[in-house]
């Protein structure tokens, strides 16, 4: 990845490393994150997501504040996919200081994937939000935390008549994570399977 002749070749090498799930390329991909070329940075982030090495998570953290929306969102996604708990404070900052709704949605989704109990209040706050994607991420985060006191909120969202399918799915995920694993006709587990 680092020794390619041009930026395009380096970006293609990063893409190939991701496709091949080449763990040996992780150090070179981490170094590529410091490039000034947006496409190379994005390819390196996507490759790190595909490779899935949690050790690479902290190397992505600085990009969670990038001024390019695409880079910032890809970095936040990568932090979530790699479950980089060391980056949680930066993701929290991205949620609170987001420049636009897309970044806030991506940051809250990353926070939900981390599933830190310290974010429970944030998830509760967004658990009834009118923005479907924010609400779904918040419910997913509550499900990962597995706090029994959140079951009523998850059940309300799951049973809400006209809620978006993403809200139902996130609530079902949360309920199953909290132990609701019966297989009756309208159970959360059965909904997830279907």
């Amino acid at each position: 990845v680092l020794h390619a002749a041009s930026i395009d070749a380096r970006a293609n090498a990063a893409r190939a490393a991701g496709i091949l799930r080449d763990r040996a390329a992780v150090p070179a991909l981490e170094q590529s994150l410091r490039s000034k070329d947006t496409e190379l940075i994005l390819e390196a982030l996507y490759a790190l997501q595909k490779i899935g090495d949690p050790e690479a998570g902290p190397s992505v953290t600085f990009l969670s504040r990038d001024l390019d929306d695409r880079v910032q969102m890809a970095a936040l996604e990568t932090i979530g996919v790699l479950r980089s708990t060391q980056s949680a404070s930066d993701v929290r900052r991205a949620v609170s200081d987001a420049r636009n709704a897309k970044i806030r949605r991506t940051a809250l989704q990353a926070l939900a994937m981390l599933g830190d109990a310290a974010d429970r209040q944030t998830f509760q706050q967004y658990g009834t939000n009118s923005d479907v994607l924010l609400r779904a991420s918040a419910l997913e985060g509550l499900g990962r935390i597995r706090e029994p006191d959140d079951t009523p909120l998850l059940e309300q969202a799951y049973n809400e008549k006209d809620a978006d399918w993403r809200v139902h799915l996130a609530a079902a995920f949360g309920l199953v994570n909290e132990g609701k694993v019966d297989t009756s006709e309208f159970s959360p587990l059965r909904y997830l399977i279907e």
Side-chain angles (χ1 to χ4, degrees):
V1 175
L2 293 175
H3 305 294
S6 70
I7 292 291
D8 287 339
R10 289 175 67 192
N12 287 336
R15 184 178 306 122
I19 291 169
L20 297 172
R21 311 298 196 263
D22 184 5
R23 282 191 181 277
V26 168
L29 292 168
E30 290 175 323
Q31 213 169 344
S32 295
L33 297 175
R34 303 230 177 247
S35 169
K36 296 196 184 310
D37 183 74
T38 300
E39 295 309 313
L40 176 58
I41 294 169
L42 290 171
E43 289 298 341
L45 288 168
Y46 299 143
L48 288 171
Q49 287 179 28
K50 290 176 184 170
I51 293 169
D53 184 355
E55 300 291 319
S59 68
V60 176
T61 304
F62 77 100
L63 292 173
S64 69
R65 297 178 300 275
D66 200 89
L67 297 176
D68 184 312
D69 288 0
R70 293 183 313 152
V71 171
Q72 185 181 17
M73 290 189 307
L76 289 164
E77 280 177 19
T78 305
I79 289 167
V81 168
L82 299 180
R83 305 263 166 96
S84 178
T85 55
Q86 302 96 318
S87 308
S89 62
D90 292 278
V91 178
R92 288 182 192 109
R93 190 176 310 115
V95 171
S96 63
D97 300 342
R99 294 185 299 274
N100 59 51
K102 284 183 176 181
I103 293 171
R104 180 165 283 116
R105 287 179 193 126
T106 306
L108 192 62
Q109 177 61 42
L111 209 56
M113 293 180 82
L114 299 179
D116 188 341
D119 299 311
R120 183 169 173 246
Q121 188 175 7
T122 302
F123 296 142
Q124 288 172 331
Q125 173 191 341
Y126 285 103
T128 56
N129 198 287
S130 61
D131 184 308
V132 169
L133 297 176
L134 288 173
R135 187 175 181 201
S137 293
L139 294 171
E140 181 182 328
L142 288 173
R144 281 206 171 86
I145 292 172
R146 297 180 183 169
E147 175 60 50
D149 291 344
D150 295 324
T151 302
L153 177 63
L154 293 167
E155 284 179 341
Q156 178 187 353
Y158 181 70
N159 294 320
E160 191 175 316
K161 186 177 179 187
D162 295 321
D164 185 272
W165 66 270
R166 290 168 284 210
V167 170
H168 283 293
L169 190 61
F173 170 82
L175 289 168
V176 169
N177 261 1
E178 288 193 358
K180 287 209 162 237
V181 292
D182 64 302
T183 56
S184 62
E185 186 175 356
F186 298 108
S187 72
L189 179 60
R190 197 160 177 178
Y191 183 77
L192 284 177
I193 293 170
E194 291 174 7

